[in-house]
Amino acid sequence: MDHAGTDLLDLWDLRVRENPDAPALVTPRRVLSYRSVDQLTDAWAASLAGHGARPGRLVGLAFTDPGRTVLGMIAALKAGSGFTVLDDRLPAAARASLVRRTEAAVWLGDGAHAPASAYVPAEPTGGGSGTGTDSGAGARSGPVDVPGSALRRPARTAAPGDTAYVLFTSGSTGQPKGTVVERDALRRFAVAVAERLELTAADRWLQVASLGFDVLIEEVFPALMAGAAVVCRADTYALDAEELHSTMAGTGTTVVELSTQYWLEYARWLDARGLTTPAELRLVVVGGERMDPRPYREWQARQPARLAHVYGLTECTVSSTFYTGLLPAGAEEVPLGTPLRDVEISVRRDGRPVPPGESGEIHIGGPLLARGFLGDEAATARRFVPDAWAAVPGARVYTTGDLGRIDPDGNLVFLGRLDDQVKIRGHRLEPARVERALCEDPAVDQAVVFPDPGTGTALWGFTVPADPRHAPLPGEAVRVTGAERDALLAPLEAALPDWAVPRVLYRVAVLPKNPHGKIDKRRLSDWASGAATATGSTGSVGATGPSGATTAGRAAGPGGQAGPGGPAAGPGGRDEPLTTVVDLFREVLGAPGLGPDDDFFEHGGQSLLAMRLLARLRESFPAAAGLRASALLRCPTPRLLAGSLGASGAGGAGRPRPVGRS
């Protein structure tokens, strides 16, 4: 259906008129109908307008409740403003910087991370948050309505070229880039995705992405433009595989989007238990990193839910291509698919389009391109360039930095990066940003960071000391641990998101170069492996073999006792539950020499590996049934975690703060 000339709110109003009682927003506490959400966000929009929200200004959202965040996005658009979302996992300094740069007219929010001026608009009847009284954990009950409001939606004044939202991506300058997306681009994107994924009013899309990550846009607006429901969690904490599965089953989720590594973790969990996806789940959208064809084929052979492989960038309004077909037996890569309506994909070399089958840089054009980067005209001009080959005068094209080709079926195929940019758990990162932060320590002369060779889910860092007396012998790597590691990482943890902080650090005498003059990361990995062999502890972060199982076995000595560095055996030969917990830490982290007092996070642990450890603990201990992955923040060593299990079971493990998002 062609919606040219309409605003996103015209399509919203159409859905409200067509089916006002259909569920629009599903939360753990209640279900809001399209009529309810419309009335509530009208009132919120009126409140925002009273605080200065209007076209050309931003509304900041700093909720810890995803449901309120969705309401805030709709209300901001109704007020004529754009919105920005403040991720609660960002360090305080990074949050303060984003608040200053956006210069939002008003902030809505209720979390500890929210600016002091933030507030929550009252419901029309003074009820609460818009995700009010409890209606059952399953959230499958019928929609409820909010009584009519005396506060009316502000008169429509926004134009198609006005800002819809600003979200931030990592940049090589050490400062995240604010990407400005206009209302017309958001409308076109939402309609195109709903079209491609065949969304209907019967669909329920589960929101799992981090707030502030652009995938949030894809989880919300295509569903609402199709008359479907957005299913929200109670908070922003990461769901482990079991929680994801039970949440989808309990809410009747039909569509979910997962990062590549998160999806792999869920696939492993299903396979280990001989389970299939919930009956109502029809589609899993996967993207963010290169996809190995083997697990893709295995999923398609075993699981009833279909896969959609997605590719896109924040600067081009989230997603540009989708692949929804069955992967051919001989395919060596999972294609990125074909472009959405209103997206123009070309592969170019030296600025000129190349024929299908030839490789070059992927360029993206069309009306879904962002306006540019907030307050950074130079960066905008570098990446959004005039398109000399476009049929429309004045058209622009975005240079992605990704290498690709078009296959015989017309699908885009990803071949790698032209620069050093990497993906960590679905997030783009310029390693130079982290390397500069490490080198700000006066004890560090040089640094390089790259994803761990085993899984690519965490960063490794290698540093060259400023004082040569502290350097190891050439060709050796020494693991940095304890107070030295903490001192190096403290400034990074204060300024960077969790996924951008290296979890494994080594000290080397020199950064080796390959014949092309680039840092030889393979040799550095070999040196790290040598250090692991010498100390009996591996630096691998959950390396996996062909079957997806961890290659590092449990380091147990004769009779089932722990190997070097392990806990002392009890009268029966094993000190339980400590010995088993140590074994599981070693298995998940791929660290045979890890001891009972070694820290999970110092040995490369992060949210995805925490999910894997949690699943293994639940298999071994009934007391771990209610354990959350965030318990590792309070009990990061095998001894502490075993003590928690033995003393009070899983019930004592709360959720003080997120472990991280997948």
Side-chain angles (χ1 to χ4, degrees), residues 510-530:
V510 65
L511 298 179
K513 302 292 180 62
N514 61 26
H516 303 289
K518 294 184 178 293
I519 293 174
D520 194 332
K521 297 172 184 176
R522 183 183 296 275
R523 287 178 66 191
L524 287 172
S525 299
D526 291 342
W527 293 357
S529 297

Side-chain angles (χ1 to χ4, degrees), residues 37-80:
V37 172
D38 191 51
Q39 293 171 347
L40 182 53
T41 53
D42 276 358
W44 280 31
S47 176
L48 289 171
H51 284 78
R54 62 181 185 274
R57 299 299 306 274
L58 289 176
V59 170
L61 304 174
F63 291 111
T64 55
D65 178 352
R68 283 182 170 179
T69 302
V70 174
L71 293 172
M73 292 191 295
I74 299 170
L77 293 171
K78 286 185 172 183

Side-chain angles (χ1 to χ4, degrees), residues 277 362 450 473 498 516 522 554 648 653:
T277 50
I362 300 171
F450 53 87
L473 293 174
D498 172 78
H516 303 289
R522 183 183 296 275
R554 299 188 184 181
S648 59

Side-chain angles (χ1 to χ4, degrees), residues 133-510:
T133 56
D134 188 47
S135 65
R140 303 293 297 277
S141 59
V144 295
D145 283 324
V146 177
S149 170
L151 295 174
R152 296 185 179 277
R153 183 192 310 182
R156 182 84 60 82
T157 56
D162 285 332
T163 300
Y165 65 84
V166 175
L167 292 180
F168 287 83
T169 64
S170 173
S172 59
T173 63
Q175 176 171 265
K177 299 174 185 175
T179 302
V180 183
V181 174
E182 297 175 350
R183 294 176 76 101
D184 188 57
L186 177 57
R187 174 190 64 80
R188 290 173 181 269
F189 164 76
V191 171
V193 172
E195 231 174 42
R196 177 63 64 91
L197 301 184
E198 300 178 335
L199 300 179
T200 72
D203 279 308
R204 290 188 172 201
W205 193 316
L206 178 64
Q207 194 282 307
V208 296
S210 305
L211 304 184
F213 190 25
D214 68 344
V215 173
L216 171 69
I217 302 299
E218 189 156 83
E219 293 172 321
V220 172
F221 289 100
L224 295 179
M225 293 305 97
V230 178
V231 180
C232 290
R233 300 160 290 149
D235 53 41
T236 61
Y237 292 92
L239 299 172
D240 62 51
E242 183 175 339
E243 292 168 328
L244 173 67
H245 187 76
S246 61
T247 298
M248 292 191 297
T251 58
T253 292
T254 63
V255 181
V256 68
E257 183 161 355
L258 306 175
S259 70
T260 304
Q261 292 296 332
Y262 193 4
W263 170 76
L264 286 169
E265 202 64 38
Y266 180 49
R268 289 190 192 103
W269 183 86
L270 289 172
D271 289 347
R273 285 151 187 79
L275 296 175
T276 58
T277 50
E280 293 176 273
L281 184 69
R282 69 174 184 86
L283 183 66
V284 181
V285 182
V286 184
E289 298 167 66
R290 179 192 170 273
M291 171 68 72
D292 183 353
R294 178 189 51 78
Y296 202 88
R297 287 193 189 93
E298 290 175 351
W299 177 284
Q300 291 184 322
R302 300 173 188 172
Q303 300 299 337
R306 294 188 300 114
L307 289 176
H309 195 212
V310 63
Y311 167 77
L313 301 98
T314 305
E315 295 88 345
C316 305
T317 312
V318 193
S319 295
S320 298
T321 68
F322 283 82
Y323 178 75
T324 56
L326 288 173
L327 191 63
E332 297 180 355
E333 293 287 340
V334 180
L336 301 177
T338 55
L340 293 173
R341 182 156 65 106
D342 288 330
V343 173
E344 299 167 7
I345 297 288
S346 60
V347 175
R348 306 186 184 191
R349 194 181 304 129
D350 298 325
R352 294 175 174 270
V354 300
E358 293 191 18
S359 64
E361 183 179 7
I362 300 171
H363 288 59
I364 302 177
L368 266 64
L369 290 190
R371 180 189 302 166
F373 300 118
L374 182 69
D376 195 339
E377 294 182 3
T380 299
R382 283 195 302 271
R383 302 306 295 268
F384 297 86
V385 300
D387 188 0
W389 301 92
V392 180
R396 301 177 304 154
V397 66
Y398 183 76
T399 58
T400 67
D402 290 333
L403 187 66
R405 62 178 173 84
I406 304 296
D407 71 12
D409 296 320
N411 290 302
L412 181 65
V413 178
F414 178 74
L415 300 176
R417 285 289 302 173
L418 294 173
D419 54 23
D420 291 328
Q421 193 179 81
V422 299
K423 281 285 188 80
I424 294 292
R425 284 137 63 189
H427 301 272
R428 282 186 293 153
L429 176 71
E430 298 282 358
R433 180 183 176 197
V434 184
E435 292 161 0
R436 279 194 301 273
L438 284 170
C439 289
E440 288 179 3
D441 190 302
V444 176
D445 182 52
Q446 294 177 281
V448 64
V449 299
F450 53 87
D452 74 88
T455 68
T457 63
L459 286 178
W460 279 8
F462 291 80
T463 63
V464 176
D467 187 342
R469 293 174 299 177
H470 297 156
L473 293 174
E476 292 185 358
V478 174
R479 182 74 172 265
V480 180
T481 59
E484 182 184 0
R485 176 186 181 275
D486 293 345
L488 274 173
L489 294 186
L492 278 69
E493 291 173 334
L496 300 174
D498 172 78
W499 49 267
V501 178
R503 291 302 164 197
V504 177
L505 290 178
Y506 289 96
R507 190 188 316 117
V508 294
V510 65

